[in-house]
């Protein structure tokens, strides 16, 4: 089976609903009221409820999983650049930019809402052939 190589790209998208934010809070244990309480969040610098940054970043993980082979995360540097709000659709794009030798690759990662970047960064992954087991 093929593995990811320099030049490979993948995309994933997810609509962020209030229910998705609530479920992410439940799973992660992050119950910061900026994510869960509209009245509270309205009084913050964000002027309303926002999604967890890691919820937006999870769309990057979904895009990585669409690269050829089995992709295993080794590390991820993230920059949270803009908030994601209920009703937004996050589109994550990943691009393999460098082979580090062996099965290790560097991948540029970006998540956007419309034309605005919400999360950017760089991942190091292993790309190994899928053995079909």
């Amino acid at each position: 089976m093929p593995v990811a190589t320099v030049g490979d790209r993948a995309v994933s998208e997810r609509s962020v609903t209030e229910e998705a934010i609530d479920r992410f809070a439940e799973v992660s244990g992050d119950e910061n009221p900026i994510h869960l309480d509209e009245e509270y969040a309205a009084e913050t610098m964000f002027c309303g409820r926002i999604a967890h940054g890691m919820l937006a970043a999870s769309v990057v993980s979904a895009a990585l999983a669409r690269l050829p082979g089995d992709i295993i995360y080794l590390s991820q540097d993230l920059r949270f650049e803009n908030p994601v709000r209920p009703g937004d659709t996050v589109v994550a794009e990943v691009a393999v930019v460098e082979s580090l030798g062996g099965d290790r690759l560097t991948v540029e990662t970006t998540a956007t809402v419309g034309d605005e970047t919400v999360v950017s960064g760089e991942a190091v992954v292993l790309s190994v052939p899928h053995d079909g087991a």
Side-chain angles (χ1 to χ4, degrees):
M1 295 292 296
V3 295
T5 59
V6 173
D8 284 343
R9 303 174 87 74
V11 176
S12 185
E13 73 177 56
R14 175 175 175 97
S15 295
V16 176
T17 64
E18 289 186 6
E19 179 185 6
I21 295 169
D22 292 343
R23 289 175 40 211
F24 192 87
E26 183 180 332
V27 169
S28 69
D30 180 349
E31 297 179 348
N32 185 327
I34 200 149
H35 306 306
L36 303 175
D37 182 338
E38 180 62 42
E39 189 173 302
Y40 172 88
E43 299 298 319
T44 70
M45 63 186 267
F46 297 107
C47 301
R49 191 173 175 192
I50 62 171
H52 302 74
M54 293 307 289
L55 175 58
S58 72
V59 185
V60 169
S61 181
L64 286 169
R66 293 183 175 188
L67 289 170
D70 287 335
I71 301 297
I72 298 147
Y73 249 128
L74 297 178
S75 67
Q76 173 80 55
D77 292 324
L78 294 171
R79 290 175 297 282
F80 299 100
E81 299 187 25
N82 288 291
V84 174
R85 301 182 183 282
D88 286 347
T89 298
V90 177
V91 178
E93 297 183 46
V94 299
V96 179
V97 295
E98 181 181 11
S99 173
L100 299 173
D103 299 332
R104 293 174 186 251
L105 302 168
T106 301
V107 183
E108 286 185 2
T109 62
T110 306
T112 58
V113 171
D115 60 359
E116 186 171 78
T117 299
V118 294
V119 180
S120 63
E122 183 177 274
V124 175
V125 300
L126 288 179
S127 178
V128 295
H130 180 72
D131 64 12

